[in-house]
Amino acid sequence: MEDSGAGSVPPPNGADVQDPAAQARLVALVAEWSAAIVSNDVSRIRAFMAEEWVIVSESGITDRDAFLGFVASGDLTHSAMRSISPPRVRVHRDTATLTARMTNTAHYAGRRFDADEWVTDVFVRREGLWLCVLTHITSAAPTDPAPAV
Protein backbone atom coordinates (compact mmCIF):
# COMPACT_ATOMS: atom_id res chain seq x y z
CA MET A 1 0.00 0.00 0.00
CA GLU A 2 3.03 2.29 0.01
CA ASP A 3 3.30 5.15 -2.42
CA SER A 4 6.52 6.65 -3.72
CA GLY A 5 5.26 10.17 -3.06
CA ALA A 6 5.97 11.11 -6.67
CA GLY A 7 3.88 14.03 -7.71
CA SER A 8 3.37 15.24 -4.14
CA VAL A 9 5.01 18.62 -4.75
CA PRO A 10 2.23 21.20 -5.23
CA PRO A 11 1.98 22.33 -8.86
CA PRO A 12 1.86 26.02 -9.75
CA ASN A 13 -1.38 27.99 -9.27
CA GLY A 14 -2.85 25.31 -7.01
CA ALA A 15 -3.74 23.04 -9.94
CA ASP A 16 -3.38 19.32 -9.48
CA VAL A 17 -1.17 17.62 -12.06
CA GLN A 18 -2.19 13.99 -12.37
CA ASP A 19 0.62 11.52 -11.73
CA PRO A 20 0.12 8.34 -13.80
CA ALA A 21 2.23 6.29 -11.35
CA ALA A 22 0.09 7.36 -8.37
CA GLN A 23 -3.08 6.70 -10.36
CA ALA A 24 -1.88 3.22 -11.33
CA ARG A 25 -0.96 2.50 -7.71
CA LEU A 26 -4.47 3.44 -6.57
CA VAL A 27 -6.08 1.23 -9.23
CA ALA A 28 -3.88 -1.66 -8.07
CA LEU A 29 -4.72 -0.88 -4.45
CA VAL A 30 -8.46 -1.13 -5.11
CA ALA A 31 -7.90 -4.47 -6.89
CA GLU A 32 -5.95 -5.72 -3.86
CA TRP A 33 -8.69 -4.50 -1.51
CA SER A 34 -11.35 -6.23 -3.62
CA ALA A 35 -9.35 -9.47 -3.35
CA ALA A 36 -9.14 -8.99 0.42
CA ILE A 37 -12.90 -8.52 0.62
CA VAL A 38 -13.49 -11.71 -1.37
CA SER A 39 -11.09 -13.53 1.00
CA ASN A 40 -13.43 -12.55 3.87
CA ASP A 41 -10.29 -12.02 5.98
CA VAL A 42 -10.96 -9.21 8.47
CA SER A 43 -7.27 -8.37 8.96
CA ARG A 44 -6.62 -8.11 5.22
CA ILE A 45 -9.71 -5.97 4.69
CA ARG A 46 -8.90 -3.66 7.64
CA ALA A 47 -5.42 -2.94 6.24
CA PHE A 48 -6.99 -0.82 3.46
CA MET A 49 -9.29 1.22 5.73
CA ALA A 50 -8.61 4.28 7.84
CA GLU A 51 -10.02 4.04 11.35
CA GLU A 52 -12.74 6.56 10.44
CA TRP A 53 -13.81 4.69 7.25
CA VAL A 54 -17.53 4.50 6.50
CA ILE A 55 -19.56 3.08 3.64
CA VAL A 56 -22.60 4.97 2.40
CA SER A 57 -25.31 3.00 0.61
CA GLU A 58 -29.05 3.04 0.08
CA SER A 59 -29.44 1.73 3.64
CA GLY A 60 -27.42 4.56 5.22
CA ILE A 61 -23.98 4.81 6.80
CA THR A 62 -22.07 1.84 8.21
CA ASP A 63 -18.80 2.42 10.06
CA ARG A 64 -15.65 0.32 9.82
CA ASP A 65 -16.13 -1.60 13.05
CA ALA A 66 -19.70 -2.58 12.21
CA PHE A 67 -18.74 -3.67 8.68
CA LEU A 68 -15.78 -5.71 9.90
CA GLY A 69 -17.98 -7.16 12.65
CA PHE A 70 -20.42 -8.47 10.03
CA VAL A 71 -17.49 -10.10 8.19
CA ALA A 72 -15.95 -11.53 11.38
CA SER A 73 -19.27 -13.10 12.41
CA GLY A 74 -19.72 -14.69 8.99
CA ASP A 75 -23.00 -12.82 8.49
CA LEU A 76 -21.44 -10.98 5.53
CA THR A 77 -19.28 -12.74 2.96
CA HIS A 78 -18.29 -11.94 -0.60
CA SER A 79 -17.58 -14.51 -3.28
CA ALA A 80 -16.91 -12.16 -6.20
CA MET A 81 -15.97 -8.53 -6.79
CA ARG A 82 -14.65 -6.97 -9.97
CA SER A 83 -14.43 -3.68 -11.76
CA ILE A 84 -16.37 -3.62 -15.04
CA SER A 85 -15.47 -0.11 -16.17
CA PRO A 86 -12.21 1.78 -16.46
CA PRO A 87 -11.72 3.63 -13.18
CA ARG A 88 -11.68 7.40 -12.97
CA VAL A 89 -8.82 8.35 -10.64
CA ARG A 90 -7.98 11.84 -9.43
CA VAL A 91 -5.15 12.63 -7.03
CA HIS A 92 -5.16 15.93 -5.14
CA ARG A 93 -1.95 16.00 -3.14
CA ASP A 94 -2.64 13.58 -0.24
CA THR A 95 -6.27 12.87 -1.15
CA ALA A 96 -7.52 10.76 -4.04
CA THR A 97 -10.83 9.63 -5.46
CA LEU A 98 -11.43 6.53 -7.51
CA THR A 99 -14.79 5.86 -9.17
CA ALA A 100 -15.66 2.73 -11.14
CA ARG A 101 -18.57 0.50 -11.96
CA MET A 102 -18.22 -2.76 -10.06
CA THR A 103 -20.12 -5.98 -9.66
CA ASN A 104 -20.07 -8.16 -6.60
CA THR A 105 -21.73 -11.18 -5.11
CA ALA A 106 -22.34 -11.01 -1.39
CA HIS A 107 -24.13 -13.20 1.09
CA TYR A 108 -25.76 -11.53 4.08
CA ALA A 109 -27.60 -13.51 6.74
CA GLY A 110 -27.80 -16.47 4.39
CA ARG A 111 -29.22 -14.55 1.40
CA ARG A 112 -27.33 -14.02 -1.83
CA PHE A 113 -27.08 -10.51 -3.27
CA ASP A 114 -25.71 -9.76 -6.73
CA ALA A 115 -24.89 -6.07 -7.12
CA ASP A 116 -24.01 -3.85 -10.06
CA GLU A 117 -22.91 -0.54 -8.57
CA TRP A 118 -21.02 2.66 -9.12
CA VAL A 119 -18.43 2.85 -6.35
CA THR A 120 -16.47 5.90 -5.27
CA ASP A 121 -13.64 5.49 -2.77
CA VAL A 122 -11.91 8.45 -1.13
CA PHE A 123 -8.34 7.79 -0.03
CA VAL A 124 -5.93 9.82 2.09
CA ARG A 125 -2.17 9.36 2.14
CA ARG A 126 -0.81 8.97 5.66
CA GLU A 127 2.83 8.14 6.38
CA GLY A 128 3.27 6.90 2.81
CA LEU A 129 0.16 4.69 2.82
CA TRP A 130 -3.09 5.26 0.95
CA LEU A 131 -6.04 4.45 3.25
CA CYS A 132 -9.70 4.61 2.34
CA VAL A 133 -11.79 6.97 4.48
CA LEU A 134 -15.07 6.76 2.56
CA THR A 135 -16.79 4.36 0.20
CA HIS A 136 -20.01 5.45 -1.48
CA ILE A 137 -22.05 2.98 -3.53
CA THR A 138 -24.93 3.68 -5.89
CA SER A 139 -26.87 1.01 -7.76
CA ALA A 140 -26.15 1.16 -11.48
CA ALA A 141 -29.10 1.83 -13.73
CA PRO A 142 -30.06 -1.24 -15.70
CA THR A 143 -29.00 -1.11 -19.31
CA ASP A 144 -31.73 -1.54 -21.87
CA PRO A 145 -31.47 -4.67 -23.96
CA ALA A 146 -30.63 -4.16 -27.60
CA PRO A 147 -33.74 -3.52 -29.68
CA ALA A 148 -35.04 -6.51 -31.63
CA VAL A 149 -34.34 -6.19 -35.32
Side-chain angles (χ1 to χ4, degrees), residues 11 39 46 51-52 59 63 81 92 104 110 116 130 133-134:
S39 79
R46 181 186 291 119
E51 195 170 314
E52 69 272 23
S59 60
D63 69 24
M81 182 171 287
H92 309 279
N104 75 76
D116 180 357
W130 286 105
V133 295
L134 171 75

Side-chain angles (χ1 to χ4, degrees), residues 1-3 22 25-26 29-30 32-33 43-54 64 93-98 120-135:
M1 285 187 291
E2 292 186 33
D3 182 57
R25 178 64 194 124
L26 285 155
L29 188 67
V30 168
E32 292 166 19
W33 191 15
S43 296
R44 280 182 66 194
I45 298 167
R46 181 186 291 119
F48 296 89
M49 304 163 137
E51 195 170 314
E52 69 272 23
W53 177 88
V54 296
R64 182 185 81 160
R93 297 189 181 114
D94 289 332
T95 303
T97 60
L98 188 144
T120 298
D121 289 313
V122 178
F123 290 88
V124 294
R125 186 170 30 200
R126 295 181 180 155
E127 298 177 15
L129 299 177
W130 286 105
L131 297 172
C132 191
V133 295
L134 171 75
T135 297

Side-chain angles (χ1 to χ4, degrees), residues 63-148:
D63 69 24
R64 182 185 81 160
D65 292 340
F67 180 88
L68 294 174
F70 293 136
V71 175
S73 72
D75 283 342
L76 175 63
T77 62
H78 286 83
S79 58
M81 182 171 287
R82 70 183 185 96
S83 179
I84 62 170
S85 76
R88 178 187 186 275
V89 182
R90 296 295 181 269
V91 179
H92 309 279
R93 297 189 181 114
D94 289 332
T95 303
T97 60
L98 188 144
T99 302
R101 188 168 179 176
M102 298 186 76
T103 60
N104 75 76
T105 300
H107 295 81
Y108 181 71
R111 287 188 54 211
R112 178 181 167 143
F113 295 90
D114 292 298
D116 180 357
E117 304 164 318
W118 285 100
V119 178
T120 298
D121 289 313
V122 178
F123 290 88
V124 294
R125 186 170 30 200
R126 295 181 180 155
E127 298 177 15
L129 299 177
W130 286 105
L131 297 172
C132 191
V133 295
L134 171 75
T135 297
H136 187 274
I137 59 177
T138 302
S139 293
T143 53
D144 293 330

